[in-house]
Amino acid sequence: MTSARESAASRRTNQFPIPKTMRAWVLGGPEQLTLVEKPVPEPGSAEVLVRIDAIAVCATDIEIIKHGVPASIEGELPFNKNFTPGHEYMGTVVKLGPSVDEFQVGDRIAVEVHAGCGRCQRCREGMYTSCLNYGFHHKGHRANGFSTDGGFAEYAVNNINTMVHVPDDMPDEEATLIVTAGTAMYGLDVMGGIIAGEGVVVMGPGPIGLMGVGVAKALGAQPVILTGTRERRLEMGKRLGADAVVNVTNEDAVAAVQRITGGKGVQYVLECSGAPNALNEAAKMVNRGGRICLAAFPANPVPVDLAYLVRNNIYVFGIRGEGKSATHRAAALMAQKRFDAKMIHTHTFPLGEVPTAIKYARERIEDAIKVVVKMRQN
Ligand SMILES: [Zn+2]
Ligand SMILES: [Zn+2]
């Protein structure tokens, strides 16, 4: 990690020499990543150049590299467009675009993905992940690693509206998790409207689910129940604050939630498992009028008991990442050390080994959870 002293000294002496070209991974056809030399981009108005220090591999990166979607460049799939994927990164501000005074050269920052276009109805409502001009750069839209170049590279341009300061005592690897925690935060505080004392079930102990446990507890939810199949991850959920964990290979998840809540159920379910029957189970876990947020989904269409949802006035919604500045609130909780996010970081690789890092994340080699690519070893 860059120390506070290093940042301060660099700020004074402006010691961030910026090369003309940089190493960057680009997507050819599906599953084809190549390390190339690319020009270092120039920051425009309201933008800065970020020297990337670390980036985490996300399941969505794996999706994009294989299928293209949800990445979209001017309405087309991102293949053979010299496109650099990767979106869960952090780094150091090394150059300011015209008019930028919100950040200084030398600042350590983490980023959220979506800058949005800033001009459509959804962006104006703070729902920039649902930008109506998604993918159209000529309309001003940016979502790094989705519609504009991302972070499997040495540098990236970021709009200042996507950046949050990283405290000096937070390691680079941990700072890459701010955006993951931000997605969980958006699901909980914006979509869920969670208030202290409400019961929450988190289904699926992947990165968003585990961060969901930490964020829900930090927001005062009670009880927070985590369901899953992997004992080690459930154990991690406990250390992140879960009041109860349920291994669904041993016990029926709905029965367990009813047992733990004394038959009352919970107010909210954050579904992060993508299991085919998850929505039907979640409906039986919430009480009447309860809410269900879908942050994962099964590959194929699945039958849903709609009558049960309607009869019980159950709200269901899907989220596509963070929004409404949730990343800032997640960063604030992490800066206050309200939960230990870095627990879910399991593996680290250098920039030259991005395909290996992706393989570890995809195949969950050695029970990998968050695999981080670090640009400098120190
Ligand atoms: Zn992601
Ligand atoms: Zn927009």
Side-chain angles (χ1 to χ4, degrees):
M1 99 191 228
T2 311
S3 72
R5 214 179 320 124
E6 189 199 326
S7 303
S10 303
R11 220 168 356 230
R12 272 195 306 278
T13 55
N14 200 14
Q15 285 292 315
F16 290 103
I18 300 165
K20 291 234 175 325
T21 63
M22 63 176 184
R23 289 187 300 156
W25 288 91
V26 298
L27 185 60
E31 307 276 13
Q32 285 176 356
L33 279 178
T34 316
L35 188 59
V36 302
E37 284 284 321
K38 252 189 185 184
V40 173
E42 269 296 314
S45 183
E47 292 176 343
V48 303
L49 182 66
V50 176
R51 182 193 73 185
I52 295 162
D53 295 329
I55 174 168
V57 177
C58 173
T60 311
D61 296 324
I62 295 168
E63 200 52 32
I64 289 170
I65 290 164
K66 190 169 180 191
H67 299 293
V69 290
S72 171
I73 297 173
E74 296 294 341
E76 292 179 18
L77 289 175
F79 299 120
N80 300 306
K81 293 198 163 55
N82 204 30
F83 164 71
T84 297
H87 57 275
E88 299 187 354
Y89 58 90
M90 61 77 59
T92 306
V93 174
V94 294
K95 189 175 184 179
L96 307 178
S99 85
V100 173
D101 58 6
E102 292 86 348
F103 291 85
Q104 300 300 318
V105 167
D107 284 354
R108 291 175 73 232
I109 56 94
V111 302
E112 58 183 311
V113 181
H114 298 259
C117 75
R119 61 200 267 184
C120 76
Q121 182 191 354
R122 291 289 175 258
C123 282
R124 297 286 292 162
E125 291 169 347
M127 292 174 68
Y128 39 85
T129 53
S130 300
C131 175
L132 301 176
N133 289 317
Y134 181 87
F136 293 104
H137 197 202
H138 73 276
K139 289 277 222 174
H141 178 265
R142 281 195 81 92
N144 286 354
F146 287 79
S147 70
T148 43
D149 275 347
F152 289 124
E154 290 179 294
Y155 295 89
V157 159
N158 264 83
N159 193 297
I160 56 160
N161 70 10
T162 62
M163 306 199 310
V164 55
H165 284 287
V166 172
D168 287 333
D169 65 351
M170 187 184 288
D172 290 354
E173 294 88 338
E174 183 176 357
T176 64
L177 304 171
I178 287 176
V179 64
T180 314
T183 301
M185 174 66 90
Y186 181 67
L188 287 161
D189 77 341
V190 177
M191 305 308 282
I194 283 298
I195 54 173
E198 292 194 330
V200 174
V201 172
V202 177
M203 302 173 85
I208 294 176
L210 287 169
M211 290 298 91
V213 168
V215 171
K217 276 319 285 182
L219 293 175
Q222 178 76 24
V224 173
I225 304 166
L226 175 66
T227 70
T229 57
R230 291 165 173 241
E231 214 44 64
R232 223 186 109 215
R233 292 190 176 204
L234 292 172
E235 202 50 50
M236 212 173 266
K238 264 193 205 161
R239 285 191 281 143
L240 281 159
D243 298 293
V245 296
V246 177
N247 190 326
V248 301
T249 49
N250 305 331
E251 189 178 5
D252 176 73
V254 175
V257 169
Q258 294 305 335
R259 170 179 59 75
I260 292 161
T261 58
K264 290 202 289 282
V266 294
Q267 280 80 5
Y268 194 58
V269 174
L270 182 61
E271 203 307 272
C272 305
S273 76
N277 203 34
L279 178 52
N280 290 322
E281 289 188 350
K284 301 272 167 68
M285 292 173 179
V286 293
N287 46 30
R288 198 170 298 133
R291 302 162 80 86
I292 299 167
C293 175
L294 305 175
F297 50 87
N300 298 310
V302 291
V304 175
D305 186 349
L306 288 177
Y308 190 87
L309 296 177
V310 175
R311 288 189 181 124
N312 290 284
N313 206 130
I314 292 167
Y315 299 78
V316 178
F317 27 75
I319 58 168
R320 39 189 276 144
E322 73 288 0
K324 288 206 174 172
S325 301
T327 302
H328 289 251
R329 295 189 293 284
L333 292 183
M334 285 169 65
Q336 294 168 55
K337 305 191 195 312
R338 299 286 293 278
F339 55 92
D340 187 8
K342 64 179 176 299
M343 201 185 291
I344 72 166
H345 162 235
T346 54
H347 295 77
T348 309
F349 293 94
L351 180 61
E353 292 175 28
V354 163
T356 311
I358 288 170
K359 184 180 162 71
Y360 265 67
R362 173 191 287 153
E363 297 171 20
R364 296 183 185 169
I365 295 170
E366 297 163 10
D367 202 17
I369 304 181
K370 264 303 181 197
V371 179
V372 170
V373 171
K374 227 180 151 193
M375 306 306 161
R376 274 159 293 278
Q377 311 303 314
N378 51 7

